[in-house]
Amino acid sequence: MAGKTSVSPEDEIRRAREGRFLMLIAADIILFLSLVWPFLAGAIIAASGPESRTGDEETQSRFSQLAANFSFVAVGLAALNVPLSIYLAATGQGVELGWMIEAPLATVGCLILHVSLVSQCFAPPQPEEERALVTRDAVPFWTSGLLALAMMLSEPVARAVMLLSAPVLAVILLNTGAGRALSGWNTLRRTATGALLVCSGFLHPDPIIEGMLAGGGFCLLASLFPCTIPMNAMRTDRTGNASESLRANAATLAVVALLVTFPLPPVTALSLRALLFASGLATLALAAVRLRLKSAQSALLLTQASMGLAAVSAGLAHPLVADLAVFGPLVATPWLSLSGKPASRMAFLADRAFLLPGFGALLLAVMLVAMTSLPLALLLIAAVWPALRPGVRLFPSSIVLPKISGAKSGDREGRS
């Protein structure tokens, strides 16, 4: 027809190239904004917040709401990164800025970290910390930004440095007082030793020693067996400290799960994965036995079991399963201290979020191990077996009991 204009193949190729170029620019901009925003938001909160605890209740509530709104912006930017990175990976492109690589699995890990930041910002403050201290609102943004950088960095040594910097910042700004200073020093000493082992491992010329040293360092950074954090070190009276420690451990497991998917020397990858699998399995078995014996709080033991399950998934080179294993504790930890209070619907939802993702990750891990080796799958089931009955009892109690009580009251009315 006369009204139609023909488009040459060269024009189609040029338009396709322009579209991919614009998509790449958009991905670069959103990646930059998502990495910079946590530091900028923390600086704004620190600069505009009250100077002491003596602020009135309205002032404290206003700045707590400011932090919550900023956390929503952070999770929105992180969520935009996920489809962009998947599209670029599917089209054969990538976002490489010299010292950073935006992989789809890394963006998923960053999104989980920012979702945990939203949960922490919306959790009500404890009586002894009214969030009037500016650092108590600003530090989670800064540490989340550092851990997100660890996800994106291309060099393993740089990742270890970022994983060390977040706990150091949290210890300096959050751990004050005699008892908490000692706990902070123990955390700092453990993480510094782990980061030093990781750096020494990746700089060692022998591939076997490289994998063993790096694996041992990551086990220290993630608080896995035999260097598991004692139960009394996870201070439940200060949920901010517990959330920071848990976020750093979860980010370490997500980073090492990404590293084992990268092209490493075969001997290095094998020793690293074997050490992670063995340490995660021992951590999972220890937490299961302690949960059966009721030697500590159920929430702390389930958190420990989730970390062990994530390490097992990292040893299997399945980062998504590792992210699913740590998702529940990350989201639920700021709300677990409210579970004993009446009319706490968010605490009820946190209990459900605490158990369901871990159960799904456990099923996936067993299936993946069974596809590789049946004896290892049986070993994993044996490690989890002591905790199955206590875990099942924890889940339906708050759902079934109201129905039973309602049925009993109806029966009594009918009998009367």
Side-chain angles (χ1 to χ4, degrees):
M1 295 177 64
K4 281 192 174 182
T5 58
S6 61
V7 180
S8 63
E10 291 79 6
D11 292 337
E12 293 181 356
I13 295 175
R14 180 177 54 82
R15 291 178 181 177
R17 289 178 178 176
E18 289 178 355
R20 288 195 295 267
F21 181 70
L22 292 176
M23 183 66 69
L24 190 61
I25 291 178
D28 288 340
I29 294 174
I30 293 178
L31 172 62
F32 176 77
L33 291 176
S34 64
L35 293 177
V36 170
W37 175 252
F39 301 101
L40 180 62
I44 294 175
I45 295 171
S48 59
E51 297 180 356
S52 65
R53 285 180 175 270
T54 57
D56 56 1
E57 185 177 354
E58 182 181 356
T59 303
Q60 296 171 8
S61 176
R62 182 171 68 252
F63 286 105
S64 294
Q65 187 62 39
L66 178 66
N69 294 335
F70 282 171
S71 67
F72 262 129
V73 177
V75 78
L77 292 173
L80 285 176
N81 260 337
V82 177
L84 285 175
S85 62
I86 294 175
Y87 171 78
L88 294 176
T91 56
Q93 302 181 76
V95 181
E96 297 187 10
L97 303 178
W99 47 276
M100 281 192 305
I101 297 178
E102 185 182 22
L105 295 174
T107 57
V108 172
C110 292
L111 177 61
I112 291 176
L113 290 177
H114 288 301
V115 169
S116 71
L117 176 64
V118 172
S119 178
Q120 183 175 350
C121 289
F122 276 89
Q126 296 299 303
E128 66 273 7
E129 50 167 341
E130 296 293 341
R131 289 185 183 261
L133 282 178
V134 178
T135 55
R136 201 136 306 262
D137 286 330
V139 168
F141 286 87
W142 293 332
T143 55
S144 298
L146 292 173
L147 296 174
L149 278 176
M151 294 279 184
M152 297 293 181
L153 292 175
S154 58
E155 291 295 328
V157 176
R159 290 174 184 261
V161 173
M162 286 295 111
L163 291 175
L164 172 64
S165 61
V168 168
L169 185 64
V171 164
I172 293 174
L173 296 180
L174 294 180
N175 290 80
T176 57
R180 289 188 291 274
L182 179 60
S183 176
W185 166 246
N186 292 332
T187 303
L188 178 61
R189 181 177 57 183
R190 174 182 53 83
T191 52
T193 305
L196 181 61
L197 283 176
V198 172
C199 295
S200 302
F202 284 114
L203 295 176
H204 200 279
D206 192 338
I208 299 179
I209 299 178
E210 177 185 359
M212 297 300 292
L213 287 178
F218 280 120
C219 289
L220 274 175
L221 286 172
S223 305
L224 298 176
F225 182 86
C227 301
T228 309
I229 294 181
M231 291 298 105
N232 55 4
M234 296 288 290
R235 300 184 60 86
T236 57
D237 57 336
R238 300 183 70 83
T239 57
N241 295 1
S243 298
E244 290 297 331
S245 300
L246 181 59
R247 190 181 294 116
N249 295 339
T252 301
L253 292 171
V255 166
V256 71
L258 286 172
L259 280 178
V260 297
T261 61
F262 290 167
L264 294 173
V267 179
T268 301
L270 181 61
S271 57
L272 178 60
R273 291 175 58 182
L275 189 58
L276 282 172
F277 186 88
S279 182
L281 189 64
T283 304
L284 183 60
L286 178 63
V289 171
R290 298 194 66 182
L291 186 62
R292 184 61 178 266
L293 299 177
K294 299 180 180 180
S295 61
Q297 293 184 7
S298 299
L300 298 177
L301 293 174
L302 287 173
T303 299
Q304 193 179 48
S306 300
M307 297 297 108
L309 184 59
V312 169
S313 304
L316 297 172
H318 288 284
L320 287 179
V321 182
D323 293 339
L324 184 62
V326 301
F327 178 76
L330 280 177
V331 175
T333 296
W335 299 88
L336 289 179
S337 60
L338 304 176
S339 58
K341 297 182 180 181
S344 180
R345 183 170 181 80
M346 289 303 299
F348 172 81
L349 296 177
D351 289 338
R352 305 288 80 76
F354 191 66
L355 295 171
L356 285 177
F359 183 70
L362 176 61
L363 292 179
L364 290 175
V366 171
M367 292 172 57
L368 294 172
V369 176
M371 294 170 60
T372 305
S373 172
L374 184 58
L376 288 181
L378 296 177
L379 189 61
L380 179 59
I381 294 174
V384 180
W385 189 261
L388 288 181
R389 181 176 294 181
V392 170
R393 287 178 178 176
L394 287 174
F395 180 73
S397 58
S398 56
I399 299 178
V400 176
L401 286 179
K403 294 182 180 179
I404 295 176
S405 61
K408 288 183 178 180
S409 60
D411 293 341
R412 289 173 183 173
E413 290 177 358
R415 289 175 184 175
S416 62

